[in-house]
Amino acid sequence: MAGHFEATPGGGAAVALDEVEIAILRSLAVQLLELIGPGDEPAEGEDPLAALFAEGPSEPPTDPALARLFPEAYGDDDSELRAASAEFRRYTENDLRSRKRDDALTVVRTLDAIPDGEDGGILELTADECRNWLGALNDLRLTIGTRLDVSDQDEGGEGSLYRLPDSDPRKPMVMAYLWLGALQETLVETLMP
C-alpha cells in the first residue's frame, strides 16, 4: 500500500503516508485554500438562500493559477464570447470556489484524522472523500503546473521535468507535481469498476 491508494470496502480507498508526505499534502492543501480565498458565508440572521443567488465576479482572475482553476467558459476571442463568459462566471464561480474549498478542506481534515504514529499512518477515505481528494489533487496539480509553466504543448511534456538537475530551484515543486500525479492516478485506478 505504501505510496499508492488501494480499494477498501464500501467504495473507499486507503494509502500509507509517512510524516513528511502528510506534512507536504497538508501544507499544499492549506496553500490552495489561501489561494482560492475565504467563502462568503451568510451573516448571522441573513437568509442562507440569498447566498445561492449571490452574484460572483464577472472578470477572470489576474493570477495565472487562479485563471487556470477558474477558466473562461467560452474563450475571449471576441466581445460576444467575453460577455457570455462574464455572465457565466458571475453565476457559477462562487459555487465552483465553494466546491474547491470543500475539496481542499476534506484533504486537511482527513489528514488531521490519521491516528498519530511515529512513521505516519494509514489514510482511509470514504467514497465521498475520495471524490473530494480527486478534485483537490487535480486543483493542486493545475496550480503547481501553472506555477512551473507546464503546458500540454511543452516539447517533451512531463518527461522533461524528470531531467531537471537537482540544483534547479524548481526541483522540489516538480517532485511534488509528479508525486501528486502518481497519487491521483492510483486513486483514479482504485475507483474504476
Side-chain angles (χ1 to χ4, degrees), residues 47-124:
D47 181 7
L49 290 177
L52 292 175
F53 299 104
E55 293 184 10
S58 60
E59 294 297 318
T62 55
D63 181 313
L66 283 174
R68 185 70 177 101
L69 292 175
F70 305 105
E72 289 290 348
Y74 305 111
D76 58 2
D77 295 341
D78 67 32
S79 61
E80 274 188 43
L81 290 178
R82 278 193 300 275
S85 285
E87 189 76 2
F88 184 80
R89 179 179 301 281
R90 214 170 78 209
Y91 293 110
T92 62
E93 187 170 313
N94 286 345
D95 286 341
L96 186 56
R97 280 182 186 267
S98 178
R99 185 180 56 79
K100 290 179 181 301
R101 268 191 299 277
D102 289 346
D103 291 346
L105 279 170
T106 297
V107 169
V108 172
R109 289 177 180 144
T110 55
L111 290 171
D112 287 350
I114 295 174
D116 289 335
E118 286 180 20
D119 300 324
I122 305 293
L123 172 70
E124 294 186 34

